[in-house]
Amino acid sequence: MASWQGFKSTKEHGDICMQLHSASINEIQERREYLRRIVAITGFLARQDIPFRGHSEKESSANQGNFLECFKLLSQFDPFLQNYTAASNSTYLSPISQNEFIQSFAEEVTEEIRKEIKLSGMYAVMTDEARDGKTEQLAVCVRYVNSDGKVVERFLGLQELKVFDAKTITNTIEALLDANDLGNLTCVAQTYDGASVMSGASGGVQALFRANHPEAIYIHCYAHELNLVLCCTCRAVQEAADFFDCLECVYTFFNTSLVNHEKLIAVQKQLGLPGHELAQLSRTRWSCQLASVTAMLENYSAVLTCLEEIGTPVAVGLRMKLCKFSVVYMMVMFECLLSITDGLHKYLQRVSLDLAEAVMYKEAVCDTLKAKRTDEMAQSLYNRAKAICQANGSDGQSSSPRRKQKRMKESVVESTCGAVGTDLGSSDNLKRHLYFPCVDRMISELSQRFSSVGDSILKGVQACHPSSVTFLSQDLLNEVALHYNIALRAEEIYVAKHYLAKKNEEDCTNTACQQLYM
């Protein structure tokens, strides 16, 4: 009888091997459903740029980190997770498993980047140092045109640097490109900072990299170049450097002390001024300097009144500096000059930056600065500064030349003290010692620092753009073709010109016909 029951069960449910196989399939499907949810949580946190782990992932922890907390939240509403119990040795929730999932995501993304670059056939490389604690790393990014015709920038990888000479950095970049199977593709450009180890014409990274990639022209980051223009201007004109140091001291005075900050807000309300905050300066983003100067001009009367009411030695010293006519003049002067360069700052930080147009924009800024270098403009700035001083009850005479102190016998003086200064109270002296030197230095630095790439190549690249007035200029295209070893025939250019001209004519005719029938 027992044998008969066993036979009937085998007929209905299959033999033991079939039952084990069916159970194995069900278990595999359940584990895949479980893993699908783990992968979804990983993708969500990665896409939102949220850290995975918290301070502690112990069971007793009140907050086990974003990854585990998201898993708990999903378990509250997902019937599958409520009914499924993962094996103790395969929960896939440990830090090691989380890192493996992240690494898998990174490999998949990198593989897509490699496919897009290979489809494009060429790329540009951008690298910079990225410090993680006490570890120096080299961040490598690539820029290329994707299948949709859009210029994109993608992060390729990080490599630890233990030696910082040009050869080691170049080998590190080459190794990362070879690891991603990009070494045989055409690299058309390379972009680094202006450090000598990177930009050196003979032994720098850009020179060593061009030995293997001769088409890769070196381009210094133009936004950084513009920062260096303004930094060099301040270093060349000591009064300008002192002026920005003064603005930084005023910002620190009012923002490191809550009491002083509240007093400034109260004075602003008392004077009926809008509550504009003072802006902090930045050594690497000089577009912040315009915000700082503008904020000081808007809050000038409130700052002077507040410093007078506080009355501490530091406040009195800051007020004396701000009351100097030369300081007020430089506020007005730098607001004018930095407003001219501010548009270029913003343009150079755009994702869709065109190098040839950036050079044209730079030339336009230079032309504007040259047009501003006139006696009439200097007098206009002087009149505006004088009006500000008069409106705030300041005569601006605290900038008179310092008197030469008596010589100290048998003493060693390592710095200048009491030297006879220049009277910066007159319009002519301000023009000759502040305004013209700053304008001249900015024009000179703009002309020198933005000439790392040959103008002929830039104009040739611009001639490839349909919106350019030099579009399909044969002479300019020949320069690009020669540099990148492209076989360019004059007949092809003539055919393209006639084809585009006819196409534009037909488009205009169709548009006119559509308007007639509307």
Side-chain angles (χ1 to χ4, degrees), residues 93-111:
L93 300 177
S94 66
I96 296 177
S97 297
Q98 294 177 38
N99 288 337
E100 290 178 350
F101 280 117
I102 295 171
Q103 182 63 30
S104 299
F105 270 67
E107 291 175 357
E108 288 295 320
V109 171
T110 305
E111 180 60 29

Side-chain angles (χ1 to χ4, degrees), residues 77-98:
F77 303 97
D78 187 359
F80 173 81
L81 289 179
Q82 293 174 356
N83 298 322
Y84 178 77
T85 302
S88 59
N89 63 339
S90 58
T91 61
Y92 302 106
L93 300 177
S94 66
I96 296 177
S97 297
Q98 294 177 38

